């Protein structure tokens, strides 16, 4: 839609409020709301002011004024608001220079796409993420000077087989056996169907929904691939819809990568392909039907994966998932069909249009704008410098002999390690002024102070199990 069309749509749908939304630096949607009468065509050009110093990782208090500029093409009726409300995703600008803000994640994603076009390599990057999440019935957690704990619960979880539920009807999902059972074992089908239907009403192109591997309510809803910025916008709507639909049913959703010990964590495998003039560029006569460009794209992803993880797996909890034994891609290798490799080439279809690369490291705690942009920059670097990924690894990596496994590069083992890798390897992100040095430095500083150090300084409950009686 264009601004005039948005205003006409508001009149048609009797919209009463306009919700202006944008992504903060770590990756959480923010918003404020104005009466519909305050929205006019000038607002789409001039924007509206707000306090940028109150947004995590953004402006200092002495330079706090910022502007949100609504983007008409992102208009969606909010399916949860009590009065008719239209949501608009916004870009962020400096009020004095009117330049797009360097730390606005959506701006970074837009710059990555523009850099791709200017490189001449391709004109479109299609992204298809598979975001997993848990739906719990109850969650409690706290951490203070004298205690630290968490408690999550799910009516379908294995640990509730013996609970007195008056009556307990059984049908609890065993650990690692949640993939595809029908109801009544799958107790969340109706909730996921409502999530799926709401997404479709909001303009998202949903391909499928299903229960995932873990017990305790792990789910996945897949979206059809879209261009990079539009897909990042869609992931914002995706999370909003999933969380609010669950809340309607008295349930709660988390996109934490590893909320349960001893079962699979939640990943966000990302399918990526480059196109030019409506023609796919990754299809060819090489390994797994890939072109040289497709292989070089994998080479870029694998070469920069240790640094990419600081953006695609950006929480301390991310590295509770990236461990062997839970289908997590800790080994930086590539293969066709093999899900134990960090990069997989799906073989579902022989059509050149279906040829793509799946990067399996990312998880849904990431900021989608930053993660997708960083992945694209690694791919561009691989293509420009013709990085070959070496021979594929078509064996089950987890069954390799120790001496052979030791030769396979590994993903970082912690957020701190990933941030150190990003410190050493980020020049590829700076090209085309996509990520700026200020963005990289602020990201590393924020993550170390607010998350790495915050966790490092606090006693862990399991340390009491290990050490209390020393």
């Amino acid at each position: 839609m264009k601004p005039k069309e948005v205003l006409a749509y508001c009149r048609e749908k009797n919209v009463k409020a306009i919700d202006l939304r944008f992504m903060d630096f770590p990756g959480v949607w923010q918003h404020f709301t104005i009466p519909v009468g305050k929205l006019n065509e000038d607002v789409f050009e001039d924007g509206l002011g707000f306090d940028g110093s109150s947004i995590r990782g953004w402006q200092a208090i002495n330079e706090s004024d910022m502007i949100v500029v609504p983007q008409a093409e992102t208009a969606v009726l909010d399916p949860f608001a009590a009065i008719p409300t239209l949501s608009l995703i916004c870009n962020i600008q400096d009020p004095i220079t009117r330049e797009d803000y360097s730390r606005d994640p959506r701006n970074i994603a837009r710059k990555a796409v523009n850099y791709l076009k200017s490189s001449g390599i391709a004109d479109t990057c299609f992204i298809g993420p598979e975001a997993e999440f848990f739906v719990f019935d109850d969650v409690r957690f706290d951490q203070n000077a004298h205690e630290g704990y968490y408690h999550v619960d799910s009516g379908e979880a294995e640990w509730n087989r013996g609970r007195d539920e008056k009556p307990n009807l059984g049908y609890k999902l065993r650990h690692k056996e949640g993939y595809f059972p029908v109801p009544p074992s799958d107790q969340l089908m109706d909730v996921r169907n409502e999530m799926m239907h709401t997404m479709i009403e909001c303009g998202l192109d949903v391909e499928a929904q299903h229960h995932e591997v873990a017990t305790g309510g792990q789910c996945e809803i897949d979206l059809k691939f879209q261009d990079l910025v539009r897909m990042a916008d869609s992931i914002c709507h995706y999370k909003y819809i999933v969380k609010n639909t669950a809340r309607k049913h008295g349930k709660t959703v988390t996109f934490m990568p590893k909320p349960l010990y001893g079962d699979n964590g939640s990943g966000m495998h990302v399918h990526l392909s480059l196109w030019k003039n409506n023609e796919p560029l990754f299809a060819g006569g090489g390994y797994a039907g890939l072109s040289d460009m497709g292989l070089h794209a994998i080479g870029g992803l694998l070469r920069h994966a240790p640094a990419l993880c600081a953006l695609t797996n950006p929480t301390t909890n991310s590295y509770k998932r990236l461990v062997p034994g839970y289908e997590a891609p800790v080994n930086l290798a590539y293969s066709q069909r093999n899900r134990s490799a960090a990069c997989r080439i799906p073989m579902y279809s022989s059509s050149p249009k279906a040829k793509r690369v799946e990067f399996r490291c990312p998880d849904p705690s990431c900021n989608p704008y930053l993660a997708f942009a960083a992945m694209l920059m690694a791919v561009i670097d691989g293509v420009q410098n013709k990085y070959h990924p070496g021979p594929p690894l078509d064996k089950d990596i987890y069954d390799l002999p120790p001496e052979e496994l030791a030769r396979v590069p590994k993903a970082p083992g912690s957020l701190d390690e990933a941030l150190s890798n990003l410190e050493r390897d980020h020049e590829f992100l700076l090209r085309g002024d996509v990520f700026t040095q200020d963005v990289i430095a602020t990201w590393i500083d924020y993550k170390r102070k607010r998350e790495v150090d915050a966790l490092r300084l606090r006693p862990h409950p399991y340390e009491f199990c290990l050490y209390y009686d020393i």
Side-chain angles (χ1 to χ4, degrees), residues 313-377:
N313 305 75
T315 68
T316 58
N317 186 253
S318 297
Y319 299 87
K320 305 293 195 298
R321 166 186 169 256
L322 283 182
V323 295
Y326 298 91
E327 299 185 18
V330 297
N331 297 288
L332 302 180
Y334 76 103
S335 173
Q336 62 181 358
R337 305 176 66 183
N338 192 342
R339 283 174 165 78
S340 60
C343 286
R344 186 176 74 95
I345 303 95
M347 302 299 290
Y348 298 124
S349 171
S350 60
S351 169
K353 293 184 177 180
K355 191 56 62 180
R356 61 199 187 273
V357 172
E358 178 190 17
F359 188 43
R360 295 177 61 81
C361 291
D363 68 56
S365 69
C366 70
N367 183 324
Y369 297 102
L370 300 183
F372 298 161
M375 287 177 56
L376 175 56
M377 296 301 288

Side-chain angles (χ1 to χ4, degrees), residues 109-396:
R110 290 161 56 223
K111 287 194 293 182
V113 172
N114 289 335
Y115 178 65
L116 172 67
K117 294 175 181 177
S118 70
S119 73
I121 292 171
D123 53 35
T124 305
C125 174
F126 283 126
I127 296 286
E130 300 173 347
E132 298 167 345
F133 54 92
F134 279 85
V135 181
F136 292 131
D137 295 320
D138 185 62
V139 58
R140 291 178 284 115
F141 52 88
D142 204 358
Q143 175 81 56
N144 50 53
H146 70 286
E147 63 181 358
Y149 66 90
Y150 69 90
H151 175 87
V152 296
D153 205 5
S154 165
E156 67 171 38
E158 177 176 318
W159 61 79
N160 282 321
R161 287 187 298 197
R163 184 170 67 177
D164 183 7
E165 295 180 342
K166 298 181 174 49
N168 187 325
L169 300 178
Y171 300 114
K172 309 301 183 185
L173 293 175
R174 289 177 286 273
H175 287 290
K176 298 192 178 186
E177 294 187 19
Y179 199 65
F180 283 21
V182 298
S185 296
D186 177 2
Q187 298 181 20
L188 296 169
M189 180 176 176
D190 289 337
V191 176
R192 289 197 311 274
N193 274 338
E194 185 174 335
M195 292 171 177
M196 178 176 69
H197 182 67
T198 305
M199 289 180 187
I200 293 169
E201 286 186 329
C202 290
L204 276 62
D205 192 347
V206 180
E207 291 193 318
Q209 60 88 351
H210 59 86
H211 204 287
E212 255 299 340
V213 173
T215 189
Q218 191 183 35
C219 300
E220 178 176 319
I221 302 175
D222 296 329
L223 303 180
K224 185 176 180 180
F225 66 87
Q226 300 177 80
D227 64 86
L228 189 150
V229 175
R230 189 178 172 197
M231 179 54 79
D233 290 343
S234 293
I235 288 294
C236 297
H237 285 293
Y238 178 109
K239 287 188 172 185
Y240 181 75
I241 291 166
V242 164
K243 290 177 179 179
N244 281 282
T245 304
R247 188 172 183 270
K248 279 176 57 180
H249 291 268
K251 299 180 184 295
T252 178
V253 161
T254 182
F255 287 90
M256 276 181 66
K258 191 76 170 183
L260 299 184
Y261 169 70
D263 213 333
N264 283 28
S266 293
M268 188 175 74
H269 311 144
V270 179
H271 298 250
L272 181 149
S273 62
L274 298 183
W275 291 55
K276 190 172 186 178
N277 298 325
N278 295 317
E279 292 294 328
L281 301 179
F282 280 4
Y287 173 80
L290 285 173
S291 64
D292 287 344
M293 182 182 289
L295 285 169
H296 295 150
I298 292 174
L301 286 170
L302 294 179
R303 183 185 184 93
H304 297 297
L308 285 177
C309 283
L311 295 160
T312 62
N313 305 75
T315 68
T316 58
N317 186 253
S318 297
Y319 299 87
K320 305 293 195 298
R321 166 186 169 256
L322 283 182
V323 295
Y326 298 91
E327 299 185 18
V330 297
N331 297 288
L332 302 180
Y334 76 103
S335 173
Q336 62 181 358
R337 305 176 66 183
N338 192 342
R339 283 174 165 78
S340 60
C343 286
R344 186 176 74 95
I345 303 95
M347 302 299 290
Y348 298 124
S349 171
S350 60
S351 169
K353 293 184 177 180
K355 191 56 62 180
R356 61 199 187 273
V357 172
E358 178 190 17
F359 188 43
R360 295 177 61 81
C361 291
D363 68 56
S365 69
C366 70
N367 183 324
Y369 297 102
L370 300 183
F372 298 161
M375 287 177 56
L376 175 56
M377 296 301 288
V379 164
I380 293 172
D381 188 51
V383 172
Q384 288 178 328
N385 291 289
K386 295 181 169 53
Y387 295 138
H388 196 281
L393 192 54
D394 288 331
K395 305 173 185 177
D396 185 341

